[in-house]
Amino acid sequence: ELWSFDISTYQWVYLNTSKWQMDQLPPPAREQHSTAVVHRDLYVYGGKTRVFETDSNGDPVFTHHSDIVHGDLWKLSVERARQYVLSYPNTTTTDTPIRSLVIQDTDGNNTIPQDSRLMVKISGYTNQSVSMHSDGVNPREGLCIDKAVVRVKLSHPCINQVKVSILGPGPISGSPNYFPLSDEHEVLLFSKLLTNGTGCAGGVHYFEFDDASTLLPEACCTDAFNDTYQPQGQLAEFVGTSMSADWTLVLQDVKEDNIQGSLLAWEIEFTASPCVERYEWTNLTHTTGTGAGAESPVPRYAAHAVAHQDSLFIYGGRDADDNVLSDLYRYDTVTETWTALTPVNFDIALSPGSSVGANFALTSWGLIRYGGYYRQPTIPEEYGNYDNSVAVQDPVTLRWRKIELADGSAAGGAVPLTRDSTFGRRGKPSERYLGATVFIPSHSLHWDTKYTHRNLYDDIIPSSRTNYQGSIADSLLMIGGFDGSTGSVFDGSSGGYLIDPWMLRLANWSTPGTRDVQQQYLERHCAWRDRISAVDGVSATQSCLGASGSSCEWRDLIMLPW
């Protein structure tokens, strides 16, 4: 089975691929497989399956047997998103970025007023490329917004006194029967009033507002603005809505004096995908690229997987005889070829923090490990083999350290994302191993608003950093696992298995100051790795991308995607 977990509504959605692939069966059922995402596609490798024979009555026959260990590779293709740009003035095209346009407000129609607001609208209803593919097509092909980026070019002698925001549809509701009443939801983009006042910065200013940017406009610039900045509000609040709407840029000069500025151009770029996406399986086990199959890894389960650009790396795991493996392979998703590499220091870096069945997630903060099972030579008096601690490995020093978590046992503490989770709920998930984890950066999180009758009467609250600060943070999503509980074990598949989802909010790490320090740390230690080594004449990071047999250091590999 294939399921999708909505991180906004915390709801499961069953994905039936058979309606799109009548002649392609999905991968056989399995557990402890390795997965990684490469360019929006999900690659699944290996794993194992436990199958019991049945007697004439259909009851399982419990006999000693070996699990089926898989060595197949599958790709789950997710329907590609599409890019659309709405621009003002209409002469602006995607071939000429507004940053490069030379425009003057000769007629004065776009002068930023000091006693009111300048509102410049772009309609998604009249744009042919949007209207042909967005709303009103059909439920299968209609497009929903995945991401929005706003670009603004304006001139002003003192940008510190300008306020910029955008009006659009939303925020979206958790109800499929409710849509925004009007395009009046405001997201604050820029306001230098929030700074400590460093004086005026004059000239022509270019802003690109992107939730994924780590550069805060209030922490920048004494000269003209000309970069990609994080907006004051969240453009992610438009995620899930339709491009077919009225998008209005709002500008205001908040200080009454004798200087004036003008809007020169603005545009909004959407990344949109079908509201009902299409998923397709492709079996890549028998690829035909050069050398394919000659160096393909042996079947295995519980291997580590990490992706970098077009490459998928598979390390270790256990084979069909349950022997521990310590080999490394790289799969090129473009040429569809396997390449065997020589791993260096992988076991030293992973073994101290891995135990057995721990979950790993590579994040901007390092390699995070959750849970695991510790094997002990004798049965202890207190059974504490299962773990629910969290640790992080620094990719630079390769040192592990425990992450101290806030105590969620008190009232108002952490709770599971669903109410039908394990019995005896508490402030943190129970000890377990063999679960599933994924890192979710803060710019990918947004929330759906529960619809009530108050939506019809209450004032719309603008989106600003003041409203959401502390509520959205980099997070680690964990789902399910095994905790060793006993119970009914029909065909060996039900006792002790969990399906409760939990979200670990990395709130203290997600403050602007801490994030900026981490970004500088990352850039400082990653810059040298692209330079040519004076010793071997190759880049320090190219060894993991080299030919068959090339040595690949764990630090080099983990720092590539980091």
Side-chain angles (χ1 to χ4, degrees), residues 304-370:
H304 298 288
V306 66
H308 170 64
Q309 295 180 351
D310 298 327
S311 298
L312 170 68
F313 294 86
I314 299 292
Y315 169 76
R318 291 176 178 267
D319 63 14
D321 296 323
D322 210 32
N323 295 316
V324 177
L325 302 172
S326 58
D327 49 357
L328 175 65
Y329 288 85
R330 184 185 70 242
Y331 180 78
D332 190 313
T333 60
V334 177
T335 62
E336 298 184 344
T337 56
W338 286 101
T339 301
L341 303 172
T342 303
V344 180
N345 294 329
F346 275 62
D347 53 344
I348 298 175
L350 289 175
S351 296
S354 65
S355 65
V356 178
N359 299 125
F360 292 89
L362 182 61
T363 75
S364 54
W365 307 101
L367 182 67
I368 294 182
R369 176 199 62 79
Y370 168 78

Side-chain angles (χ1 to χ4, degrees), residues 464-479:
S464 66
R465 194 170 297 122
T466 304
N467 293 339
Y468 71 78
Q469 188 69 46
S471 61
I472 293 184
D474 288 350
S475 302
L476 193 71
L477 175 64
M478 186 280 299
I479 297 177

Side-chain angles (χ1 to χ4, degrees), residues 506-560:
L506 304 175
N508 288 344
W509 286 359
S510 301
T511 60
T514 307
R515 195 184 298 277
D516 183 62
V517 171
Q518 179 68 8
Q519 183 67 24
Q520 293 181 33
Y521 180 74
L522 186 150
E523 293 173 354
R524 183 168 64 252
H525 289 282
C526 287
W528 70 271
R529 309 191 75 80
D530 291 328
R531 301 175 184 172
I532 301 299
S533 169
V535 178
D536 53 16
V538 298
S539 169
T541 53
Q542 293 304 310
S543 60
C544 298
L545 303 175
S548 176
S550 299
S551 295
C552 177
E553 285 266 1
W554 166 254
R555 180 185 281 109
D556 287 338
L557 175 59
I558 205 66
M559 289 189 74
L560 280 171

Side-chain angles (χ1 to χ4, degrees), residues 10 154 245 464 534:
Y10 306 148
L154 58 89
S464 66

Side-chain angles (χ1 to χ4, degrees), residues 146 148 187 211 233-240 442-447:
D146 292 334
V187 174
D211 286 342
Q234 277 219 318
L235 290 170
E237 295 190 17
F238 296 129
V239 169
S442 58
H443 61 80
S444 298
L445 281 171
H446 64 279
W447 56 82

Side-chain angles (χ1 to χ4, degrees), residues 110-131:
N110 292 330
T111 300
I112 303 174
Q114 298 179 353
D115 56 350
S116 62
R117 304 201 295 178
L118 172 66
M119 307 181 75
V120 182
K121 182 177 70 174
I122 301 177
S123 178
Y125 297 107
T126 58
N127 185 284
Q128 187 174 6
S129 63
V130 169
S131 60

Side-chain angles (χ1 to χ4, degrees), residues 4-19:
S4 171
F5 184 74
D6 191 315
I7 60 175
S8 299
T9 61
Y10 306 148
Q11 293 183 354
W12 288 100
V13 178
Y14 174 64
L15 304 177
N16 184 7
T17 59
S18 62
K19 60 183 178 182

Side-chain angles (χ1 to χ4, degrees), residues 209-477:
F209 296 105
D210 188 339
D211 286 342
S213 174
T214 58
L215 181 59
L216 303 178
E218 63 266 27
C220 176
C221 302
T222 55
D223 298 323
F225 288 81
N226 187 30
D227 212 326
T228 302
Y229 306 95
Q230 184 183 116
Q232 298 284 352
Q234 277 219 318
L235 290 170
E237 295 190 17
F238 296 129
V239 169
T241 62
S242 170
M243 296 181 294
S244 296
D246 287 331
W247 302 91
T248 305
L249 188 72
V250 182
L251 302 100
Q252 181 180 7
D253 191 330
V254 297
K255 183 177 181 181
E256 188 171 354
D257 51 24
N258 295 324
I259 60 176
Q260 287 184 326
S262 299
L263 171 68
L264 303 179
W266 83 279
E267 68 182 19
I268 182 168
E269 177 181 326
F270 300 106
T271 301
S273 58
C275 301
V276 181
E277 293 178 317
R278 179 171 180 160
Y279 301 85
E280 293 183 338
W281 285 108
T282 303
N283 190 344
L284 300 175
T285 307
H286 305 292
T287 52
T288 57
T290 303
E295 293 185 299
S296 59
V298 299
R300 67 191 63 205
Y301 69 95
H304 298 288
V306 66
H308 170 64
Q309 295 180 351
D310 298 327
S311 298
L312 170 68
F313 294 86
I314 299 292
Y315 169 76
R318 291 176 178 267
D319 63 14
D321 296 323
D322 210 32
N323 295 316
V324 177
L325 302 172
S326 58
D327 49 357
L328 175 65
Y329 288 85
R330 184 185 70 242
Y331 180 78
D332 190 313
T333 60
V334 177
T335 62
E336 298 184 344
T337 56
W338 286 101
T339 301
L341 303 172
T342 303
V344 180
N345 294 329
F346 275 62
D347 53 344
I348 298 175
L350 289 175
S351 296
S354 65
S355 65
V356 178
N359 299 125
F360 292 89
L362 182 61
T363 75
S364 54
W365 307 101
L367 182 67
I368 294 182
R369 176 199 62 79
Y370 168 78
Y373 176 80
Y374 295 92
R375 291 175 175 170
Q376 300 185 26
T378 58
I379 299 177
E381 294 183 3
E382 294 185 4
Y383 194 68
N385 297 54
Y386 295 91
D387 184 26
N388 64 349
S389 65
V390 185
V392 60
Q393 183 187 56
D394 188 322
V396 178
T397 65
L398 299 185
R399 293 179 179 175
W400 287 97
R401 65 182 177 88
K402 184 179 180 180
I403 302 176
E404 298 297 335
L405 305 180
D407 183 10
S409 59
V415 294
L417 301 182
T418 59
R419 285 298 177 183
D420 54 345
S421 56
T422 55
F423 55 86
R425 289 191 300 266
R426 48 184 175 173
K428 58 182 178 180
S430 59
E431 295 82 358
R432 67 190 70 197
Y433 79 129
L434 298 179
T437 59
V438 63
F439 175 68
I440 304 176
S442 58
H443 61 80
S444 298
L445 281 171
H446 64 279
W447 56 82
D448 292 348
T449 305
K450 183 178 180 180
Y451 175 64
T452 69
H453 70 284
R454 299 302 313 175
N455 294 67
L456 301 174
Y457 307 103
D458 291 346
D459 291 337
I460 299 176
I461 302 176
S463 173
S464 66
R465 194 170 297 122
T466 304
N467 293 339
Y468 71 78
Q469 188 69 46
S471 61
I472 293 184
D474 288 350
S475 302
L476 193 71
L477 175 64

